[in-house]
Each structure stands twice: as structure tokens, then as C-alpha cells.
Amino acid sequence: MNKQGNTYTIIYIIVMVLVVGAALAFTAMSLRSRQQANADADKMRQILASVLVTPESGDVIDTYESTVTRSFIVDVQGQEVGGDAFAVNMAEQSKKPALQRLLPVYECRVDGGEVKYVLPVYGAGLWGPIWGYVSLDADGTTIYGAYFAHQGETPGLGAEIEKTAFSSQFEGKHIFKDGRFLPVAVVKAGQKPSGDEDYVDGISGGTITSKGVSSMLADCLAPYEAYLSTLRQ
């Protein structure tokens, strides 16, 4: 075959595309299990962060397994249902009506044997999704800790929700007052919400992201009201 001809060039390009495509597909498949393991470990680290536990480097799984004593799923009526809580995709669940959502719960024991309950939250910031985990005391009313993350918020502004200076404000806040469910509000520094709910200061210059966190908490924690009421009782 004439190597200078168009036919040879076309065949050569097709062969190279097939070879490179097969190599990339093989590499992706080979690394998929490792990528999933890394994603799972990162999720475990975030859950632990919400109960103020920081695992040693390389000890995430052991710390998670010794801290999270049980994980399960409840429905909006507060009843346990079958399924793997860790595998629930909160991005998908957050798009569903509350009555149709699967609601994961992680029961933890921290230093001293105190029981905490971790609930995942998922919402939208300015430039992309935001998410996090909120841990509650055994009474289902008082926030013990919180962790928030984002996909693409602006560094120095909305991205500050990932910092301890923001999340630590939630510690000790209440989501039930006088028997009423009132998720914690995120408001502009120096202001107060119009209702009686507990509140924290939003991020300076990150108004939309702050409002996103506030909306996320209200939307994702409200379906847990029935379950949390059983803890209060």
C-alpha cells in the first residue's frame, strides 16, 4: 500500500484512534475500583468531620468503622426502610418530593460513648452543588457539629463554607424550639432572621452561597422531622 496515499492515512488514523481508545477504556476500567475507594474514603472523612473526628492519615476506614456504629435509611414518616444508607445518592434524592426521598442516618459514638446522629444535606450554591453533613445530639434537637463542601464556589468568598470558622457556628444550635421544627438560618452578619429560629452569620461577599446553605438545610432536614421527633421523645 502506498504510504503516501490518502487511503493509508485514513486507515492509519482509524487504527490509532481504536488503539488509543481501547487503551484509555482499559485504564479507566482498571482504575475504577481505586477511584471508588478514594471517593468512599473521602465521604467517610466528611461524615467523621461532622462529629468533630479527624482520623489519622491512612486510618479513615478504621476510624469510620469504630465511630459509625450503625447506618440506615428512614422515610418521611420516620420509619426505617431497607437499603444501604452509604450508597444513597443525595444529589438524586434532593430532586425528589420529600415523600419519595430515601433519608440516610448515620448513628455514631464519639469519645465518652455519646450517641450522635449524622444527616446528609445537598443543595445549590452560586456556581454549582454544595453539600454537607449535620450531626445532632441524641435528643435529635441540638446540633453537635457540621461539615460543608462545594464543587466550584469562589475562593475567599462562597468557598469559605468549607472552613471551620463557618461550620463551627452551628455547634449548639437547635432545630426544634417549643416543639416546632425550625432549621438553622444563615443570615447576613449583624442581622437576624424574621422568625424565632437559631441562626449563624453568612459568608461576607458570599451571599448567594450563604442563602444556598440556608435553603439546603431547610429542604434536606425538614423530611427528617418525624424521625427526629421520635428521638426527642
Side-chain angles (χ1 to χ4, degrees):
M1 182 180 294
N2 182 11
K3 294 184 177 181
Q4 305 301 320
N6 292 335
T7 301
Y8 177 85
T9 301
I10 293 173
I11 293 175
Y12 179 82
I13 291 174
I14 292 174
V15 170
M16 287 301 297
V17 168
L18 292 175
V19 170
V20 173
L24 290 176
F26 175 78
T27 301
M29 292 179 64
S30 300
L31 295 177
R32 184 173 299 169
S33 59
R34 184 178 301 178
Q35 292 171 340
Q36 186 60 51
N38 289 338
D40 290 347
D42 187 53
K43 183 175 180 177
M44 292 177 187
R45 186 180 294 106
Q46 294 179 23
I47 292 172
L48 292 172
S50 72
V51 288
L52 313 181
V53 173
T54 304
E56 298 292 336
S57 178
D59 194 35
V60 176
I61 296 177
D62 289 342
T63 304
Y64 177 86
E65 291 179 345
S66 63
T67 302
V68 180
T69 56
R70 192 165 77 100
S71 60
F72 50 95
I73 299 172
V74 299
D75 59 21
V76 74
Q77 283 81 34
Q79 303 297 315
E80 288 192 32
V81 298
D84 181 2
F86 195 84
V88 173
N89 187 322
M90 289 304 298
E92 294 178 356
Q93 296 301 316
S94 65
K95 298 175 183 177
K96 298 180 180 179
L99 289 173
Q100 299 177 13
R101 293 184 192 178
L102 297 176
L103 308 172
V105 180
Y106 301 89
E107 183 178 307
C108 305
R109 286 190 181 274
V110 296
D111 291 341
E114 296 179 355
V115 176
K116 311 296 177 185
Y117 295 92
V118 177
L119 312 178
V121 293
Y122 190 94
L126 175 60
W127 301 113
I130 56 177
W131 65 90
Y133 297 89
V134 177
S135 65
L136 302 170
D137 285 338
D139 62 5
T141 296
T142 309
I143 293 179
Y144 177 72
Y147 173 86
F148 301 107
H150 64 92
Q151 180 172 295
E153 299 306 289
T154 307
L157 298 176
E160 295 297 298
I161 64 170
E162 203 165 21
K163 301 293 182 62
T164 303
F166 176 72
S167 60
S168 62
Q169 296 182 89
F170 289 84
E171 297 170 18
K173 302 298 183 182
H174 299 86
I175 60 174
F176 280 95
K177 281 194 171 183
D178 299 324
R180 294 183 300 150
F181 179 74
L182 296 171
V184 177
V186 183
V187 299
K188 187 175 182 179
Q191 296 183 356
K192 295 182 179 181
S194 56
D196 297 328
E197 65 267 36
D198 281 355
Y199 63 94
V200 301
D201 290 338
I203 302 298
S204 177
T207 303
I208 295 178
T209 308
S210 298
K211 289 182 177 179
V213 173
S214 191
S215 298
M216 173 176 70
L217 294 174
D219 177 66
C220 293
L221 295 183
Y224 286 96
E225 181 178 358
Y227 174 72
L228 297 177
S229 293
T230 64
L231 299 180
R232 292 172 56 235
Q233 297 168 5

